[in-house]
């Protein structure tokens, strides 16, 4: 089974702090994604990556950056956390850019910024 | 921008009832996925449909892809409390690098 793990289930940070969210997948998937999920707004794509050191902006990249130094790891960085970044963050991976592109999700990180 | 509209947004039913959830778009998708998400967890893939008119069954769940590959439905027979969750559809386009997710249907099945 594909396993996607996220570094923390719950995280509380203060405004202005730098926040790192880590995601690791164990199935040699090419693609990795970061979403945030908010009530009434659904899943919104922040960034995605097709390969190591490659990244592409999603629908809401402002205030975020990402890093993919190894194929299995995709990090989301909040350079200076703000209260409007309080949300559920979901990482996902999929096998390749072609084909069915079925996504496998991690358990999520619920981030609260005070 | 491709949009996927899901309906209804919320559904609350009694155990044993049947229900249908819809996922509609004006865009054509090469495939479409359904996911279920339980509170506090990430979405879990249920099924992928690929061919127009395709019907797939997963125990009490029946998934259908529209003939024109623009819409899909999920029918649950004799719903159980364990079916409670957020149901998401996601469309995949050949030319787009990312999937388009619907906003989801929150299903509550009361015992």
């Amino acid at each position: 089974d594909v396993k996607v793990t996220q570094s923390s289930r719950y995280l509380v940070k203060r405004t202005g702090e730098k926040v790192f969210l880590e995601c690791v997948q164990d199935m040699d998937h090419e693609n990795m994604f970061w979403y945030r999920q908010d009530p009434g707004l659904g899943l919104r794509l922040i960034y995605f990556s097709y390969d190591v050191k490659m990244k592409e902006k999603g629908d809401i990249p402002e205030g975020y950056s990402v890093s993919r130094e190894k194929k299995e790891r995709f990090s989301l960085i909040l350079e200076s956390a703000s209260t409007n970044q309080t949300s559920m963050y979901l990482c996902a991976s999929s096998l390749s850019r072609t084909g069915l592109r079925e996504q496998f999700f991690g358990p999520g990180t619920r981030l609260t910024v005070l | 921008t491709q949009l996927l509209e899901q309906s209804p947004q919320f559904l609350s039913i009694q155990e044993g009832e049947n229900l249908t959830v819809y996922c509609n778009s004006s865009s054509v998708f090469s495939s479409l996925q359904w996911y279920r998400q339980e509170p506090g967890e990430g979405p879990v893939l249920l099924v992928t449909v690929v061919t127009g008119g395709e019907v797939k069954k997963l125990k009490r769940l029946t998934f259908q892809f529209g003939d024109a590959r623009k819409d899909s439905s999920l029918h649950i027979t004799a719903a159980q409390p364990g079916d409670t969750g957020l149901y998401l559809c996601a469309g995949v386009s050949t030319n787009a690098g990312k999937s388009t997710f619907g906003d989801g249907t929150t299903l509550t099945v009361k015992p």
Side-chain angles (χ1 to χ4, degrees):
Chain A
D1 283 350
V2 176
K3 191 157 188 184
V4 180
T5 56
Q6 295 183 229
S7 51
S8 305
R9 292 299 300 271
Y10 300 93
L11 209 52
V12 180
K13 296 292 182 180
R14 296 208 174 270
T15 300
E17 281 193 77
K18 191 169 186 176
V19 181
F20 293 87
L21 301 182
E22 303 282 340
C23 175
V24 177
Q25 50 94 3
D26 67 357
M27 284 300 293
D28 202 34
H29 282 179
E30 291 182 2
N31 304 335
M32 296 189 75
F33 307 84
W34 275 107
Y35 296 89
R36 63 178 283 177
Q37 185 175 35
D38 302 286
L41 296 176
L43 277 173
R44 292 183 291 170
L45 182 64
I46 304 171
Y47 268 98
F48 59 108
S49 169
Y50 289 135
D51 202 352
V52 176
K53 297 193 186 296
M54 291 185 69
K55 61 185 179 183
E56 292 202 32
K57 292 180 180 180
D59 300 317
I60 52 162
E62 297 78 18
Y64 302 93
S65 61
V66 290
S67 172
R68 193 162 181 206
E69 296 296 319
K70 294 184 178 182
K71 190 174 185 178
E72 67 270 19
R73 189 179 297 269
F74 193 34
S75 302
L76 180 69
I77 303 152
L78 287 66
E79 294 289 343
S80 178
S82 63
T83 55
N84 63 13
Q85 291 178 311
T86 291
S87 186
M88 173 70 136
Y89 289 88
L90 290 163
C91 175
S93 71
S94 67
L95 180 61
S96 71
R97 295 182 67 166
T98 57
L100 298 178
R101 279 180 265 164
E102 297 168 332
Q103 294 191 32
F104 296 87
F105 287 83
T109 295
R110 186 162 293 281
L111 172 67
T112 301
V113 183
L114 301 175
Chain B
T1 303
Q2 296 174 313
L3 292 175
L4 267 175
E5 294 185 357
Q6 287 190 242
S7 61
Q9 188 177 358
F10 298 97
L11 192 54
S12 181
I13 61 173
Q14 293 294 135
E15 182 175 1
E17 292 184 11
N18 301 332
L19 66 113
T20 302
V21 173
Y22 300 92
C23 176
N24 295 300
S25 176
S26 57
S27 302
V28 177
F29 295 105
S30 57
S31 65
L32 188 140
Q33 288 127 18
W34 284 93
Y35 298 81
R36 180 170 67 212
Q37 184 179 19
E38 298 186 11
E41 299 294 331
V44 175
L45 179 68
L46 295 174
V47 78
T48 297
V49 286
V50 178
T51 306
E54 181 177 6
V55 176
K56 279 192 173 178
K57 290 192 176 184
L58 188 66
K59 297 183 181 178
R60 295 174 294 99
L61 278 60
T62 301
F63 304 86
Q64 185 161 9
F65 203 13
D67 291 341
R69 291 185 287 130
K70 294 182 179 181
D71 54 83
S72 181
S73 63
L74 158 59
H75 182 79
I76 302 179
T77 304
Q80 299 177 0
D83 296 327
T84 291
L86 175 67
Y87 288 81
L88 294 161
C89 63
V92 178
S93 298
T94 304
N95 298 327
K98 53 185 180 175
S99 300
T100 301
F101 278 85
D103 286 344
T105 293
T106 300
L107 172 65
T108 303
V109 182
K110 300 175 185 176

